[in-house]
Amino acid sequence: METREMTCINCPLGCLLTVTKDNGKVTVTGNTCPRGEDYGIKEMTDPRRTVTSTVRVKNGSAVKVPVKTKTDIPKDKIFEVMDVIRKAEVKPPVHIGDIIVDDIAGTGVPLVATKDVE
Amino acid sequence: MYCRETDVVIIGGGPAGLAAALAVKAAGVESVLILERDTQLGGILNQCIHNGFGLHTFKEELTGPEYAARFIKRVLDEKIEYMLETMVVDLKSDRTVVAMNRKEGLFSIKAGAVVLAMGCRERPRGALGIPGFRPAGIFTAGTAQRFVNVEGIMPGSEVVILGSGDIGLIMARRMTLEGAHVKLVAELMPYSGGLKRNIAQCLNDYNIPLKLSHTVVDIKGKERVEGVTIAEVDERLKPIPGTEEFYPCDTLLLSCGLIPENELSGSAGVALSPVTGGAVVDNTLETSIPGVFACGNVLHVHDLVDYVSEEAENAGRGAAEYVKGQKAGIVPEDDTVMEMKAGKGVRYTVPAKIRPATVKKDVLVRFRVDNNYKDVSIGVFYDGRLERSVKKRTVAPGEMEELRIRKEELDKYPEVKEITIGFVE
């Protein structure tokens, strides 16, 4: 049996969760909403994060365009994702939601723009 | 000097200004103008590229630029007039706004109502009293955020952060992702000023230590920062001799508090609260000057942009109603004012006054507590008599609280002078 205390990162309440894993079954206490339970289970079994950063723009109205992984990616892939982001470059125009890199660092998740750059 | 007239002038095109403008338009006032000093609308959200915005407003998690874009699109769709690269240089008590830009030069606007939405500033090094030379490499966290996220420049590679406000925590993660080594976040107070989730996902995720009750007592370096000395502080926040520790670094980021930017409000004579640094407002968010309203971080510093948008809508509605009332020549019959007071454990409330005649359903009151507490009961007192209370498992100064004053209660106690929000003993 494994028990861990963690802060839920879903909303500003920041509930202190107690997550217990026993024979593959994960139980969560301390959450005030269902999202807290989902987070606790995921954090214990498959921790994931959304990565946000910026990508260089070639000859645009801005030098950088902000980006995010479209959904969360495995936590242990964060720095591999960043390595790809650092090397990436886009040509304007770029619009919110445009895919900058598909399947970033083998996560199966696309990297998308979060701002328009002309 | 070019002079024009506008029903509602909104000073600032950030999240507060955008939401206020939309609310003015929605209330049926067509003549509304946003004045923005930057080259784009959106304000500070343009550099807040991290996610976590919009959970309340849009029920989904957005980044700062995405959140701003949704409001900007609505402002464009509504054909609301705005001026960029336009700096307001003066506001007078008769609601004359003096501004300048490259196209018009210096010009003035006679406004029916004004919404103050200028946001806030970071507390700079000069306000912290840290000894040492003035080498390069010392930045406020927000300046570093602009360098990294907008300009694409890394301010340094070996970093110490003083202050655990949200921007400092966010920048600890951001600098780490960009390859810097963040050695430490030091916080003067025995608790963090940032949100718990930011401590979890910005510090704990990257094993960045947070030292509470610690501060920077010396900065080494003449041309460039070479390191900082950190010491533990006692309960009076004085450094304890013998606890000094030297951290070699080339960059010191400061995340030591935000201050509402009220220079314009001050010049107009708007009464300011010494606690929040923002205007003293009533429940319509009207300041001490009739027809001048305030919302967002210029009123009091918020944790969440969602709350800024909600508050700004209220200010926009207030401004629109004021303009309509003036045009129709309506003089309010009932001008009763009840004072809102911060009771035990509470630092301030916004609003600070309630005009019962203007309350339609209830009044949302936002407030901050003065320390970390567990299992407290927060009460609403009418002239010192407890009306009702809510239980809270934990409260912290870094997390804004809210409760509502109900219209039924205001109707029940028409003679009440003071409403207090505070802990129940």
Side-chain angles (χ1 to χ4, degrees), chain A residues 7-16 30-32 35 39 43 49-54 62-68 75 78-79 82 85-86 96-97 112-115, chain B residues 40-41 46 49-51 55-56 61-63 65-66 69 148-153 173-174 176-179 195-198 200-201 204-206 303-304 307 393-394 399:
Chain A
T7 304
C8 178
I9 63 170
N10 271 304
C11 90
L13 271 184
C15 295
L16 184 65
N31 56 309
T32 26
R35 289 191 312 170
Y39 175 77
E43 193 65 7
R49 295 288 183 270
T50 298
V51 176
T52 62
S53 187
T54 57
V63 293
K64 290 274 192 174
V65 60
V67 294
K68 69 175 180 186
K75 201 173 151 185
I78 291 175
F79 284 95
M82 281 305 299
I85 289 175
R86 249 193 300 280
I96 289 183
V112 297
T114 58
K115 194 174 193 304
Chain B
Q40 56 183 340
L41 294 172
N46 287 312
I49 63 162
H50 53 281
N51 62 340
L55 279 168
H56 295 256
E61 199 164 4
L62 303 171
T63 65
E66 289 173 312
V148 178
N149 294 346
V150 180
E151 317 280 343
I153 301 162
R173 174 177 65 182
R174 185 74 187 110
T176 304
L177 288 177
E178 288 294 344
L195 297 172
K196 285 185 278 237
R197 66 166 171 176
N198 283 338
Q201 64 183 348
N204 300 352
D205 271 8
Y206 300 94
D303 318 328
L304 287 193
Y307 295 161
R393 277 195 305 171
T394 60
E399 314 212 356

Side-chain angles (χ1 to χ4, degrees), chain A residues 50-89:
Chain A
T50 298
V51 176
T52 62
S53 187
T54 57
V55 163
R56 212 172 311 124
V57 179
K58 210 173 180 178
N59 303 325
S61 57
V63 293
K64 290 274 192 174
V65 60
V67 294
K68 69 175 180 186
T69 53
K70 193 167 183 193
T71 59
D72 47 16
I73 55 118
K75 201 173 151 185
D76 58 12
K77 289 271 192 183
I78 291 175
F79 284 95
E80 286 172 53
V81 164
M82 281 305 299
D83 284 342
V84 179
I85 289 175
R86 249 193 300 280
K87 291 183 189 109
E89 192 173 59

Side-chain angles (χ1 to χ4, degrees), chain B residues 6 48 63 166 185 217 341 368 380 395 414:
Chain B
T6 302
C48 298
T63 65
D166 286 311
V185 176
V217 292
K341 295 277 178 207
R368 282 185 197 275
V380 181
V395 288

Side-chain angles (χ1 to χ4, degrees), chain B residues 312-348:
Chain B
E313 266 181 48
N314 189 11
R317 267 196 301 274
E321 291 309 318
Y322 180 86
V323 167
K324 286 195 274 186
Q326 291 286 305
K327 284 186 177 172
I330 297 168
V331 182
E333 281 168 31
D334 178 7
D335 56 358
T336 308
V337 179
M338 297 176 182
E339 300 287 329
M340 293 283 313
K341 295 277 178 207
K344 187 171 181 277
V346 174
R347 283 186 61 225
Y348 71 84

Side-chain angles (χ1 to χ4, degrees), chain B residues 178-196:
Chain B
E178 288 294 344
H181 176 213
V182 179
K183 298 190 161 177
L184 166 81
V185 176
E187 168 61 57
L188 179 71
M189 303 304 284
Y191 50 82
S192 166
L195 297 172
K196 285 185 278 237

Side-chain angles (χ1 to χ4, degrees), chain B residues 60-118:
Chain B
E60 59 180 305
E61 199 164 4
L62 303 171
T63 65
E66 289 173 312
Y67 187 95
R70 296 207 177 180
F71 279 87
I72 293 169
K73 183 176 185 304
R74 286 167 58 196
V75 163
L76 298 178
D77 288 349
E78 291 290 333
K79 299 191 168 54
I80 290 172
E81 187 186 3
Y82 62 92
M83 291 183 179
L84 301 177
E85 296 179 272
T86 302
M87 184 82 182
V88 175
V89 292
D90 197 16
L91 171 66
K92 299 185 197 307
S93 57
D94 66 356
R95 299 184 302 275
T96 300
V97 179
V98 182
M100 63 162 99
N101 62 29
R102 282 169 184 266
K103 191 163 153 260
E104 309 287 352
L106 192 67
F107 63 102
S108 76
I109 308 164
K110 193 93 194 66
V114 173
V115 179
L116 305 172
M118 295 89 83

